[in-house]
Amino acid sequence: EAEAAKAREEQKIRSTYSVAVEHLRAEQDALRKAAIVQMRGYLDKYPKAPDAPDVMYRLADLYIDESDGAFQSEYAAFEQLMTQIGDRPDLELPEEPKRDLSLALNLYQRIITEYPDSSFVPLAMSNMAYYLDTPNTKQYNREDARDISLAIVQRFPNTVFSDEANMRLGEYYFEQVGP
């Protein structure tokens, strides 16, 4: 009896917590969408503003957050479908979803090409290399990540960006040769 009461209480807490978390997520999504609209509007109105690279970088972060949310929803649906399919060899398995980071990567590229002297260039390059080296993305491309990492090492030696790029390069070449 005490165990059953405890289980009901835990379920009640979980249910209340889930509703509160979903409400906060919806609020966060709405705020993110509003910020995206404002930042895009700012960049459209002031494309050559001195703080444009900063705005682009922050907008790219918001696009990544947005992509993460979409990916989580798609992956939950994928897992549910996989559970329903079970071990039926007669059914064609759906392709596993991947994160689409094209909007963010395009902004990083714009920072690099349009504002080559900006302090956001090494950040943009580092993020590009990281996300291109992330397997569950539509833009996964280890060779492009390697090339960007090499460029970071050459352009920004003796920086934290160079250190991260060297680590990424070491992992890349180790996996190419094998243990």
Side-chain angles (χ1 to χ4, degrees):
E1 182 68 31
E3 296 255 344
K6 182 179 177 182
R8 283 192 303 273
E9 184 64 24
E10 286 177 2
Q11 180 58 34
K12 182 179 173 185
I13 290 170
R14 266 192 231 109
S15 177
T16 302
Y17 176 74
S18 293
V19 169
V21 167
E22 284 307 311
H23 174 73
L24 290 172
R25 282 191 181 132
E27 187 178 322
Q28 182 181 29
D29 288 346
L31 290 170
R32 181 185 315 107
K33 287 180 191 315
I36 287 171
V37 168
Q38 288 192 349
M39 288 179 173
R40 287 173 63 175
Y42 179 84
L43 290 170
D44 288 344
K45 190 172 183 178
Y46 307 105
K48 296 297 179 189
D51 61 345
D54 184 4
V55 175
M56 286 179 181
Y57 185 82
R58 294 177 196 289
L59 181 56
D61 280 346
L62 292 173
Y63 283 145
I64 288 169
D65 290 345
E66 190 173 62
S67 174
D68 286 345
F71 172 74
Q72 288 173 2
S73 296
E74 291 169 12
Y75 201 82
F78 170 78
E79 285 183 322
Q80 185 176 13
L81 182 61
M82 293 301 290
T83 301
Q84 292 170 353
I85 290 175
D87 292 331
R88 299 218 14 224
D90 58 318
L91 296 176
E92 186 175 329
L93 297 178
E95 187 174 324
E96 191 171 324
K98 296 184 185 302
R99 293 166 61 198
D100 182 2
L101 302 175
S102 57
L103 294 173
L105 291 171
N106 288 338
L107 281 172
Y108 293 144
Q109 187 60 53
R110 282 186 60 198
I111 292 169
I112 295 163
T113 57
E114 295 175 25
Y115 303 92
D117 298 326
S118 168
S119 63
F120 285 91
V121 168
L123 288 165
M125 291 176 73
S126 183
N127 282 1
M128 280 188 77
Y130 174 79
Y131 289 119
L132 289 170
D133 199 26
T134 302
N136 68 344
T137 64
K138 291 180 180 181
Q139 294 77 23
Y140 178 63
N141 187 321
R142 297 221 58 209
E143 287 71 30
D144 285 352
R146 176 205 58 211
D147 293 347
I148 294 169
S149 294
L150 287 167
I152 291 170
V153 171
Q154 292 171 351
R155 286 184 65 186
F156 307 103
N158 303 317
T159 65
V160 66
F161 305 108
S162 173
D163 295 343
E164 290 172 8
N166 275 317
M167 182 63 79
R168 190 172 294 110
L169 288 166
E171 291 169 359
Y172 173 84
Y173 289 118
F174 179 79
E175 289 173 13
Q176 296 301 309
V177 175

